[in-house]
Each structure stands twice: as C-alpha cells, then as structure tokens.
Amino acid sequence: MEPREESIPLQRQVLLLLVLLCVYVSASEPGRFSVAEEMESRSSVGNVAKALGLEVGELSARGARITSKGKKQHLQLNIQTGDLLLKEKLDREELCGPADPCVLPFQILLENPLHIIPAELRVLDINDHAPMFPDSEMLLKIRENSPPESLFSLKNAIDLDVGINNVQNYTVNPSSHFRVHTRTRSDGRKYPELVLDKTLDREEQPEFALTLTAVDGGSPPKSGTAQIRVLVVDINDNTPVFAQPQYEVQIPEDSPIDSLVVTVSARDLDIGSNGEISYALIQSSEEISQTFKVNPFSGEIRLKKQVDFEMIQSYEVDIEATDGGGLSGKCTVRIHVMDLNDNPPELALSSLNSPIPEDSFQVVVAVFSISDRDSGDKGKMVCSIQDNVPFILKSSLENFYTLVTDGVLDREIRDEYNITITVTDLGSPRLKTEQNITVLISDVNDNSPVFTQTAYTLYLRENNSPAFYIGSVSASDRDWGSNAKVIYSLLPPKTGDLPLFSYISINSDNGHLYVLRSLDYEVIQAFQFTVRAADGGSPSLSSQALVQVLVEDENDNSPFVLYPLQNGTAPCNDLVPRAAEPGYLVTKVVAVDRDWGQNSWLSYQLTKATNPGLFTMWAHNGEVRTARPISDRDAIKQRLLVLVKDNGQPPLSTMATLNVLLVDGFSEPYLQLPDAPKEQAQTDSLTIYLVISLASVSFLFLVSVILFIAVHLWKRKKNATDGLQLRPNSSFPGHFVNVGGTGTLSQSYHYEVCLTNDSGTGEFKFLKPIIPSLPTQDSGRDLEESPPLQESFWLG
Ligand SMILES: *[C@@H]1O[C@H](CO)[C@@H](O)[C@H](O)[C@H]1NC(C)=O
Ligand SMILES: *[C@@H]1O[C@H](CO)[C@@H](O)[C@H](O)[C@H]1NC(C)=O
Ligand SMILES: *[C@@H]1O[C@H](CO)[C@@H](O)[C@H](O)[C@H]1NC(C)=O
Ligand SMILES: *[C@@H]1O[C@H](CO)[C@@H](O)[C@H](O)[C@H]1NC(C)=O
C-alpha cells in the first residue's frame, strides 16, 4: 500500500489540475459520484451516460473513456452500459487520511469531438476503526492537596475514521475522586480531561487505577481503553504521633550506664523525608539531660549516668519527634527509680573505752549507732558480734548499741580482743558492714610470783671466797609491768640459831644468792632458809621457796694422830717383850681426819725405823706388828716414823712418831705422863681400858661398816631410781680397806675426836658424830636416814 503522506500531495496536484481544467473547460458540468469505502470491486458507482445525459450507444461512438491524470485509476467505464465500476476495494483512510470529504477526481474524456468532462468520486467513510490510545498506560502524579475541580490533561485516543466515526466521548470507570470531561478542540477533535472531584489524601489512598475509554460515534460504536495510574504525591501534612502520649517505666537504681530505659516510637503518616522522624530530649533540666540520652533514630532512651533512688525517685522526660518537614510531636516518659538494697548499713562509733582493766564486770566498752540509707526492709538492720568473746551488745534506743563486757576477762590468758561488729540489713541481697574494734585488757595484779621450784638445793665447796655466788632462785609473775616485777628477799629464820644474814645475801633484782663468809664444812655442813619473791603491784603479792645449801667437803684437814700422842712433852711408849713372836701386835696408830669421805680415808706407812725390818705397818689399819723375832742386838728404844696420809686431792699427811721399848718380859709399861705421875695405877688401867675400848670400837666399826655397805647399796639403788645423787661416791680403794676394829674411821662415820686435858688424865672423848645435819628441823631426810651413832666413850 502506498503511504498516505505521498498520496496527499498527489491529490493536491490532481486538485490543482482540476482547477486548471475547470478554468480551461469552463462550462463543463461536473459529474459527481460517490461510493462507500470498502465496497467490493466491480460494484457500480453510477452511470456516466445518465450523468452526462447521453445515449448509451453514444458513449462508444464518441469514444468515451476515464482518465485520471497520472494517477492510479480506481474506476473503469463499461462503455456499453455506461456504468462506472470500481476497479478495486477502496479504503478511505488510505486514500484520504483524515481529510474529509475524500474526493477522488477523474475526467470523462469524449474523443469525437473532444470533450473533457471533470468528474469526482467521493469515498464515504464507514466506521471501520476503533479509537486507540497511543500508550496503553498513562502515569499521572497529583499532589494530595490539589483542590477539587482541578483539571489534568490526558492523552487523547486516535481514531482513523472521520466525522461521526471519530472519537465522540471519553469516559472513566466510576471513581470516588475522578471523572472525565470530554472537550472539543477547535478542529472538532475530542480530547479528555481528568477532573478531581474530591481532595486526595495520600495517607488514605496513595494510588488510583482508572480505565479511560474512548468511544466513537459509529453505529455500532467502537471503543478503545487505556489505563491511568494516578500517584498521589505526598505533602507534609501529618505531624509525628507517638504510640503513647505517656510512657511509664521503672528502672532499678543499679541499672548500668548505657542500659535501655525505654524505646519511644512515633509515627508519621507522610512518606519520604516528611515521614522521617528524629527524636530528641526537650531540655527541661540539666539533671535530666545529664542522666538520659535518646537515640535520634531509634528512640531508645538510655542512661547516661547511674541513677540513685536515694537522691531522685522519679524523672519526667519530654521527648520530641520531628519529621523532615519540621513538624513535631511530643510525649512524656515518666521514669520511676526502684529502690534496691544498694546501701550497706553504716556504723558510727561514738566512744571506745580501751584498755579496760581485767577485773571489769559489765563495763561499757563502746557506744555506737547504726544507720542505713535504704528504705523499707532494706533499711532495717540487725547487729551482732562474734560468739566467742566475753562481750555482749545491748541496745538501749533503736539503732543505738553499747558493747558491754560479759564474763571473766583475764589479761594473762588474752590481753586483746578483736571484736567484729557486723551490721546486716534485711534487704535482698543482704548487705553488711563490719567494723573491727580492738579492746585491750589492762593488767591487774592478780597473780603472785611463782618460783621455778618449790625448793632449791645448792652446793657449795667449803673454804669459799667471801661473797661467793652459789646459784640463783627465780620466780616469774604472769602479770604485766610493775605487777610482774619480782623483788627477791630473804626471810628471817624461824629459829634464831643461825645468823643467816651474815651468811647469805640475795640480789633482790635477779635472785642471785651469795655466801658472804667462807664456810667450813667441818663447822657447818648444811643449812636452809626461805626466800621470798614479791611483785611490784599494790597490794603486792608474794610467794616463798625453801633453799637448802649443802656444803661440800674439801681436803683441808690433815690427818690427826690420836694415838700415840704426838706432843713432845708426853711421849707414848709401847712395850714389846723381847720374846714376842713375829706378828706380835705392837700397837696401833690411831688417826682421824676431820674431812669427809675420801678426804678422810687414811693410809699408814712406816717411813723410818731404828731397826728397819723389825716392824711392819699395816697400811690400812695402822697396826704395827713385829716382822721377825726380836734379837738381843735390837736396841731397846725403837723409834718409828709413821706417815699418815689421807685420800684427798691433793693428799694431806701427818708424821707420827712411835716409841717402842723392847723389854724382857711384860712388865708395867713406862708411861710418862706429865701431869699425872701420881696416878700410875690409873694410867695402867687406862691403857687396858684403851685397848678394850679400841677393840670394842673396832668391832662396832666392823658392824657399822657392814651396815653402811648395806645401807649404801640400798641407797645407790634408790638413787638410781630417783635420779638423785647426793654426794660423789667413789669406790672404796683396795688399800684403804677399813676393817679390823682398830680406831680408823670409815668414810661414813666421821668422829670428831679430841683429847681433853681438863682432868689431867688424858681422857679421850668421842664426841657426837658429825652427821651432816641441817640447822632446822627440815634438814635433808637423806642425811637423816644415815644411822646416827650417838655414842660417847669416856676413857679413864
Ligand atoms: C458520553 O457518555 C456518557 C456516558 O455514557 C453520557 O452520559 C454522555 O451523555 C455522553 N456524552 C455525549 C456528548 O454523548
Ligand atoms: C587484732 O587485730 C590486729 C590488727 O588489727 C592484729 O595485729 C592482732 O593480731 C589481732 N589480734 C587478735 C587477737 O586477733
Ligand atoms: C575484721 O577482722 C576480721 C577477722 O580478724 C577480718 O577478716 C576483717 O577483714 C576485718 N575487717 C575490717 C573491716 O578490718
Ligand atoms: C698435847 O697436844 C694436845 C693436842 O694438840 C693438846 O690438847 C695437849 O694439851 C697437849 N699436851 C701438852 C702437855 O702439851
């Protein structure tokens, strides 16, 4: 098909040609024909013969034909009938487009004579096209606050038909807000306009879908539709609105910093920036802005610092929500702080009485008050101390307490109490406060000094230097300070026979004991006294202890020869008959030693003799016997020197001179006694008595020695069990065997022997044995157990 754009100028050319022809062929009658479009080909349009008023035969005779200058020929002439027939189907829209009427000019040419008759064919429109919208969908944006009756232009539909067959009416489907006006342009074309019936609200309905229908005027009418999408354009016509105008929240007072209090939320019905909300605190007070912060986007209210019920119980926070268009809304958040047990009790000590004396009874030691800042049960408190102390708590007023002693205090057991006062509240969790009080106990003089031993035994060697330290006593006092300061003193003896204070002194500070004088074992073997220890308290307390001093022997006495008398003035002569057999007992040297023990064990030795070999000396008993028969050559007067030696360290010795007369037959001994020449007979009997008594004494000694050994063995056994060793007890040396019933004294029985001279008869007096006995009745029982030998021998 040819495009219409080309056909239109073609038609104009044809028209121009026609106009020229009309001018040229002036009186020619135009032949008019019309036909509806879309008629079948070969259908008749009209009859040329009739139109020209010619006979049918005349047409062929005159050589009639149809011409259309240079254009496509749509018609053909039936020359026999004169009918004008369509060569083909005609489409008005193709031939003429929108031009109306659609006229196709042509000429009827008669050749004989030449005659050109212009003619035209009108193509009549039929409604063969429906209206069509160029776009099937239209988008329309309308601000939501546009006033009613506002008009919005729409694209029109296109209908290729013309005239009544073109678009006649536009309609839109029924809508609450819109209708369509059909307008007519100056050229008669119709176009639609959208009319707003009612104000739009985007928040109510943001979008409308309309169907626009264009209807033409054909019969039957044809229509075309298009969709209209109406978008309602938002304007900021809504303020933000909070979900709740008021929020009530509770937060515990221990909520940490940055913890969420509440999230507020506001809604804005607008969209876009008009609906974008930001939250902010309305600055009501410095305190609130320091305590809370709000997230502008999320509306979360968080803590900026810790809250404290004890300071502020509730807050009222105003929050503002602002949208992008500047509209704002407000809400109030009431924040209640919940009280928690977050305050421990407090304890205020108002007085402390320390130290307190140990004899205190129900004395107030401390006064204090307790308090708790929490409220309710959380602020109620109980107060206690530990159980194991002699103190109790007393409450006089509410929350006022006194700490009172309750029970026996003894500084010597415990001089300090750490008392922990515990105050606990009744909240949950329970909080407690502890306070430690140190109560010192001061001393009271309630303890006497105590000696380390109830009795002391001290040993001292005789012949000590004056002011000799012999030992010390010691007492301790469990008290403290001057109450524990011990002062030592000597108590005067109960029996006044010993001048104690001239013997002994004590250092009052340290209890050291000194012997003031040199002591002689041979004079005093033991003594005892009482020491006292007193403390410095007021009143002072004291105690006593017994001190026994045992004097130990030293070898300070040489043996003393009792017989024979060693005074030069009274020589003793022993008579030996010349007929004496060997082994004849000539005499016995009797010696004593005032020392004790080993120091008094004596041995005898013949050191010099007139006729050596005539006499022998028994070393251990002092017996002098003849060693051989006496010959005539032996001198009458024999002089023997005997060394008497004790067993001390070093040993002491004495020389004794022995005069022996060898006589023929046993006659009266020559005894020259200086002051008793007249009492010769008495002297003779004295000699006999002396011999008898010596023999009996020897016997007694034998018995005693056996007894001693028995006792000694028994005592050693006892000592071994007691662990007590009174004296050094060396074994008895063999060459000192002390038997034989002579006058030699054993180590156990120590005789003080002196030769008295008052009666002038050479009287031997065996005085009381020096038993180491103590001056008082409490003398050592060990010593008392020794069998005393209370015997006196009166000789002569
Ligand atoms: C257009 O159509 C509507 C609805 O069908 C009708 O009410 C109206 O009268 C018509 N307008 C014209 C000019 O025919
Ligand atoms: C009491 O506490 C003090 C320190 O506070 C301590 O030095 C002392 O040893 C304690 N005493 C007792 C008996 O616990
Ligand atoms: C109090 O004393 C107790 C036990 O001696 C100790 O455990 C505690 O820590 C002390 N309290 C204070 C506050 O010193
Ligand atoms: C002999 O000595 C003893 C002791 O030494 C003495 O007691 C006595 O008087 C003396 N006799 C004479 C006569 O000198």
Short mmCIF file of all heavy atoms in Angstrom, two decimals, residues 386 418-421 433-437, ligand 3:
data_model
loop_
_atom_site.label_atom_id
_atom_site.label_comp_id
_atom_site.label_asym_id
_atom_site.label_seq_id
_atom_site.Cartn_x
_atom_site.Cartn_y
_atom_site.Cartn_z
N GLN A 386 30.79 -11.52 117.21
CA GLN A 386 31.09 -12.95 117.21
C GLN A 386 30.80 -13.54 118.59
O GLN A 386 30.70 -12.83 119.58
CB GLN A 386 32.53 -13.22 116.78
CG GLN A 386 33.60 -12.77 117.73
CD GLN A 386 34.15 -11.41 117.37
OE1 GLN A 386 33.40 -10.50 117.06
NE2 GLN A 386 35.45 -11.26 117.46
N ASN A 418 39.79 -8.70 119.39
CA ASN A 418 39.37 -8.04 118.16
C ASN A 418 37.90 -8.37 117.98
O ASN A 418 37.55 -9.49 117.65
CB ASN A 418 40.17 -8.55 116.96
CG ASN A 418 41.54 -7.92 116.93
OD1 ASN A 418 41.78 -6.92 117.59
ND2 ASN A 418 42.43 -8.49 116.15
N ILE A 419 37.08 -7.40 118.23
CA ILE A 419 35.64 -7.66 118.15
C ILE A 419 35.15 -7.13 116.82
O ILE A 419 35.40 -5.98 116.46
CB ILE A 419 34.93 -6.97 119.32
CG1 ILE A 419 35.45 -7.58 120.62
CG2 ILE A 419 33.42 -7.14 119.19
CD1 ILE A 419 35.05 -6.82 121.82
N THR A 420 34.52 -8.00 116.08
CA THR A 420 33.97 -7.60 114.78
C THR A 420 32.48 -7.34 114.96
O THR A 420 31.73 -8.26 115.26
CB THR A 420 34.20 -8.70 113.74
OG1 THR A 420 35.60 -8.98 113.70
CG2 THR A 420 33.73 -8.25 112.39
N ILE A 421 32.10 -6.10 114.81
CA ILE A 421 30.67 -5.77 114.87
C ILE A 421 30.14 -5.88 113.46
O ILE A 421 30.66 -5.25 112.54
CB ILE A 421 30.47 -4.34 115.41
CG1 ILE A 421 31.11 -4.21 116.79
CG2 ILE A 421 28.99 -4.01 115.47
CD1 ILE A 421 31.09 -2.82 117.32
N THR A 433 27.99 -4.56 106.98
CA THR A 433 29.14 -3.72 107.25
C THR A 433 29.81 -4.30 108.48
O THR A 433 29.14 -4.73 109.40
CB THR A 433 28.69 -2.28 107.53
OG1 THR A 433 28.09 -1.77 106.37
CG2 THR A 433 29.86 -1.42 107.92
N GLU A 434 31.12 -4.31 108.41
CA GLU A 434 31.87 -4.81 109.56
C GLU A 434 32.74 -3.71 110.11
O GLU A 434 33.30 -2.94 109.34
CB GLU A 434 32.77 -5.97 109.14
CG GLU A 434 32.09 -7.28 109.04
CD GLU A 434 33.08 -8.38 108.74
OE1 GLU A 434 34.30 -8.10 108.71
OE2 GLU A 434 32.65 -9.51 108.56
N GLN A 435 32.84 -3.69 111.40
CA GLN A 435 33.83 -2.79 111.99
C GLN A 435 34.55 -3.57 113.06
O GLN A 435 33.94 -4.25 113.88
CB GLN A 435 33.14 -1.56 112.58
CG GLN A 435 34.11 -0.73 113.39
CD GLN A 435 34.09 0.73 113.00
OE1 GLN A 435 33.28 1.16 112.19
NE2 GLN A 435 34.96 1.51 113.58
N ASN A 436 35.84 -3.48 112.99
CA ASN A 436 36.65 -4.19 113.98
C ASN A 436 37.06 -3.23 115.09
O ASN A 436 37.54 -2.13 114.83
CB ASN A 436 37.90 -4.77 113.33
CG ASN A 436 37.56 -5.94 112.44
OD1 ASN A 436 36.47 -6.49 112.55
ND2 ASN A 436 38.46 -6.31 111.59
N ILE A 437 36.83 -3.66 116.30
CA ILE A 437 37.24 -2.87 117.46
C ILE A 437 38.27 -3.70 118.20
O ILE A 437 38.06 -4.89 118.44
CB ILE A 437 36.04 -2.60 118.38
CG1 ILE A 437 34.99 -1.78 117.67
CG2 ILE A 437 36.49 -1.90 119.63
CD1 ILE A 437 33.80 -1.51 118.56
C1 LIG B 3 37.89 -7.57 110.79
O1 LIG B 3 38.54 -8.71 111.28
C2 LIG B 3 38.28 -9.87 110.54
C3 LIG B 3 38.94 -11.04 111.27
O2 LIG B 3 40.03 -10.64 112.01
C4 LIG B 3 38.82 -9.69 109.14
O3 LIG B 3 38.55 -10.83 108.37
C5 LIG B 3 38.15 -8.49 108.52
O4 LIG B 3 38.71 -8.25 107.26
C6 LIG B 3 38.32 -7.28 109.38
N1 LIG B 3 37.52 -6.23 108.83
C7 LIG B 3 37.95 -5.00 108.70
C8 LIG B 3 37.00 -4.02 108.15
O5 LIG B 3 39.09 -4.68 109.00
#
